[in-house]
């Protein structure tokens, strides 16, 4: 196991009850006796310059042993890009054959204080990771943005590239896209100049950062099938207006004092999703019974849909293409009589699809208002679990990631 504070050490055990610390001899003779062998130490001029200690249990992966660790930034010798004393979480990869050897280590934290309740509390500027849950062997490709200070909110829905890509820790392209976009926007929202940008400008800057990251990792950005992508909705509330920017199928619904609802955004992906669902249903009718068979049956249609990214015949999406600027939708609505806003990814759409898309979206709002958001999601998951192979309700996977914000004004 890995243990310690300020330095991270290792210990071994034959019964998981009695542990022996890993020690080393000092070849220089400064220590007469063996001493604890530090595997990882604090680093000057980095976010982990003041303290490090292990987080959740280490994970054995194909690439090595992954350990998530917590860290603290030093006020004088730390990274000036992070607040003095900020607690952030990072990752280190150890060798499978020799668990004391570091293969790779984060240059930046993957989790840092960026929400109001993380930046202000009994101890300010703290994100501290202590638990880890294995969830169905898949990466959640959604992300969330909440900044109550400047009233900036967003939902992001990543999409896996058609040519599979995996990061150092097995992350999909969709996961990387959603996380990178969220972090880029959060960074802008914490910068005095960035805060003044419109939501569409924030999304465009995040889109450029996504492009730069893909190029840096060897993705051919001229080939749409390789692109990491994400749909996104970003909303900023001020005293008299609500500004928004939208790409793809993350939806915004406005609710008013007289009980009426308004679909502010349009599901741009319905133009490609509807033919895919229809083809899936045809496959079921022809006798295909497994999701793998059905996936192969609809795969050409999915490829055709991806070719329409950021085109006049398709839909807008953040995928690093500069053409996003021509197809992203944005604008503002008045706050007159406005009582609440509902932002959500397409994972909240009822797979039963009993009505037209607009009517189904209104039904989501009705159920969320009557049941509560958490109860609605539990109800939705029960429907999905009852149809695990997607034979009754056509869709390409049993359960999509679900992200939503219900904002009362």
């Amino acid at each position: 196991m890995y243990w310690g504070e300020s330095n991270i050490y290792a210990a071994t055990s034959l019964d998981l009850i009695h542990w022996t610390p890993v020690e080393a001899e000092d070849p220089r003779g400064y220590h007469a006796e063996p001493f604890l062998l530090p595997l990882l130490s604090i680093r000057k001029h980095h976010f982990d310059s003041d303290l490090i200690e292990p987080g959740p249990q280490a994970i054995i992966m194909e690439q090595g042993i992954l350990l998530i660790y917590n860290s603290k930034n030093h006020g004088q010798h730390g990274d000036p890009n992070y607040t003095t004393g900020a607690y952030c979480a990072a990752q280190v990869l150890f060798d499978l054959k020799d668990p004391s050897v570091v293969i790779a280590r984060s240059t930046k934290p993957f989790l840092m204080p960026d929400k109001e309740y993380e930046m202000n509390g009994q101890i300010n500027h703290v994100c501290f990771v202590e638990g880890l849950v294995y969830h169905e062997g898949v990466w959640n490709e959604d992300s969330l943005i909440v900044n109550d200070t400047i009233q900036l909110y967003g939902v992001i829905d990543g999409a896996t590239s058609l040519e599979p890509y995996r990061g150092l820790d097995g992350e999909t392209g969709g996961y990387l896209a959603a996380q990178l976009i969220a972090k880029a926007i959060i960074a802008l929202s914490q910068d005095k100049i960035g805060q003044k940008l419109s939501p569409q400008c924030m999304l465009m800057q995040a889109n450029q950062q996504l492009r730069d990251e893909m190029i840096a990792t060897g993705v051919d950005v001229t080939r749409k099938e390789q692109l990491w992508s994400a749909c996104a909705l970003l909303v900023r509330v001020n005293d008299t207006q609500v500004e928004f920017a939208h790409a793809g199928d993350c939806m915004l619904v406005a609710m008013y004092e007289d009980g009426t609802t308004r679909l502010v955004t349009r599901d741009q992906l319905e133009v490609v999703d509807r033919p895919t669902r229809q083809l899936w249903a045809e496959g079921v009718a022809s006798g295909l019974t497994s999701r793998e068979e059905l996936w192969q049956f609809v795969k050409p249609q999915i490829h055709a849909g991806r070719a329409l990214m950021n085109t006049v015949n398709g839909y807008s999406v953040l995928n690093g293409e500069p053409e996003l600027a021509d197809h992203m939708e944005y604008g503002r609505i008045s706050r007159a009589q406005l009582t609440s806003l509902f932002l959500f990814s397409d994972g909240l759409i009822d797979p039963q699809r009993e009505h037209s898309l607009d009517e189904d979206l209104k039904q989501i709002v009705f159920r969320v208002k009557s049941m509560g958001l958490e109860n609605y999601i539990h109800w939705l998951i029960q429907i999905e679990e009852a149809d695990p192979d997607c034979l009754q309700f056509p869709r390409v996977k049993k359960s999509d990631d679900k992200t939503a914000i219900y904002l009362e004004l």
Side-chain angles (χ1 to χ4, degrees):
M1 71 173 177
Y2 297 102
W3 64 281
E5 182 177 314
S6 295
N7 290 312
I8 292 179
Y9 306 98
T12 61
S13 174
L14 296 176
D15 58 10
L16 301 182
I17 298 174
H18 304 91
W19 292 86
T20 302
V22 175
E23 297 181 327
E25 301 284 346
D26 187 351
R28 297 170 296 181
Y30 295 151
H31 298 84
E33 301 293 332
F35 63 97
L36 291 175
L37 177 64
L39 308 185
L40 209 66
S41 301
I42 60 175
R43 297 179 291 183
K44 283 188 176 181
H45 313 304
H46 285 75
F47 63 92
D48 50 8
S49 50
D50 197 13
L51 177 146
I52 57 170
E53 58 181 289
Q57 69 275 13
I59 308 170
I60 295 177
M61 306 173 62
E62 290 184 7
Q63 299 92 337
I65 302 172
L66 175 68
L67 176 69
I68 294 174
Y69 69 94
N70 297 301
S71 68
K72 183 181 179 183
N73 191 35
H74 195 280
Q76 294 180 323
H77 309 298
D79 186 336
N81 293 309
Y82 302 93
T83 304
T84 296
Y87 281 84
C88 303
Q91 305 174 64
V92 59
L93 193 67
F94 292 98
D95 193 299
L96 277 172
K97 295 181 180 179
D98 185 350
S100 67
V101 174
V102 174
I103 298 175
R105 183 176 179 179
S106 298
T107 57
K108 297 180 180 179
F110 74 92
L111 186 64
M112 66 200 77
D114 53 35
K115 297 179 176 63
E116 183 67 26
Y117 58 82
E118 295 167 342
M119 294 186 288
N120 297 289
Q122 185 174 7
I123 301 177
N124 297 334
H125 302 285
V126 174
C127 276
F128 209 79
V129 181
E130 286 298 321
L132 194 63
V133 177
Y134 184 75
H135 182 65
E136 298 183 357
V138 296
W139 288 90
N140 186 324
E141 294 180 334
D142 280 12
S143 190
L144 190 69
I145 297 167
V146 177
N147 187 328
D148 290 321
T149 302
I150 65 169
Q151 293 187 283
L152 182 74
Y153 308 95
V155 291
I156 303 168
D157 181 5
T160 300
S161 52
L162 292 179
E163 289 189 7
Y165 178 92
R166 292 284 177 173
L168 178 65
D169 300 324
E171 311 99 322
T172 64
Y175 172 86
L176 292 169
Q179 293 298 313
L180 188 150
I181 292 164
K183 289 178 181 178
I185 293 171
I186 289 168
L188 287 171
S189 72
Q190 295 174 344
D191 179 80
K192 289 184 178 179
I193 297 176
Q195 290 177 0
K196 298 178 181 179
L197 294 175
S198 64
Q200 63 266 31
C201 287
M202 286 186 173
L203 287 184
M204 285 304 301
Q205 288 205 19
N207 188 59
Q208 181 60 50
Q209 290 188 34
L210 176 59
R211 182 182 183 86
D212 294 342
E213 182 66 20
M214 287 189 291
I215 292 173
T217 57
V219 172
D220 184 351
V221 294
T222 67
R223 300 183 59 201
K224 289 181 183 283
E225 58 268 29
Q226 286 194 14
L227 297 179
W228 312 342
S229 62
C231 299
L233 168 65
L234 193 60
V235 169
R236 179 159 55 197
V237 180
N238 60 44
D239 292 340
T240 60
Q241 305 281 343
V242 175
E243 300 176 88
F244 71 92
H246 165 249
D249 57 7
C250 291
M251 303 300 294
L252 174 62
V253 178
M255 286 158 275
Y256 294 88
E257 289 182 2
D258 62 1
T260 58
T261 61
R262 174 184 179 186
L263 301 177
V264 180
T265 56
R266 171 178 169 269
D267 184 350
Q268 297 180 12
L269 267 81
E270 184 66 4
V271 67
V272 296
D273 287 346
R274 188 188 309 109
T276 301
R277 294 195 303 270
Q278 291 173 344
L279 191 60
W280 189 283
E282 292 174 14
V284 172
S286 71
L288 301 180
T289 57
S290 74
R291 274 193 294 167
E292 179 58 31
E293 290 176 321
L294 288 162
W295 170 257
Q296 293 301 323
F297 186 66
V298 303
K299 192 173 180 179
Q301 172 61 36
I302 293 174
H303 276 264
R306 291 293 178 92
L308 298 176
M309 291 189 295
N310 293 318
T311 66
V312 71
N313 294 318
Y315 56 96
S316 62
V317 67
L318 279 74
N319 64 357
E321 292 181 313
E323 290 81 6
L324 169 66
D326 298 325
H327 303 287
M328 177 171 53
E329 297 182 331
Y330 55 89
R332 64 183 186 180
I333 61 174
S334 170
R335 281 194 61 174
Q337 306 297 309
L338 186 64
T339 59
S340 50
L341 296 170
F342 185 33
L343 299 71
F344 60 95
S345 65
D346 70 324
L348 268 74
I349 296 178
D350 183 353
Q352 298 173 100
R353 295 182 181 269
E354 298 173 331
H355 312 284
S356 66
L357 178 61
D358 283 359
E359 187 59 33
D360 282 337
L361 293 173
K362 290 178 181 178
Q363 284 294 316
I364 294 174
V365 176
F366 171 77
R367 288 193 172 106
V368 168
K369 290 175 69 175
S370 59
M371 300 168 63
L373 182 56
E374 186 174 354
N375 288 334
Y376 171 74
I377 290 176
H378 287 319
W379 172 81
L380 192 60
I381 290 173
Q382 288 179 346
I383 293 174
E384 294 169 336
E385 292 291 339
D387 181 33
D389 293 318
C390 311
L391 302 179
Q392 184 178 0
F393 308 121
R395 59 200 191 281
V396 296
K397 53 184 175 181
K398 179 181 73 173
S399 183
D400 201 358
D401 299 326
K402 297 167 175 58
T403 303
I405 300 173
Y406 193 96
L407 189 62
E408 294 185 346
L409 303 177

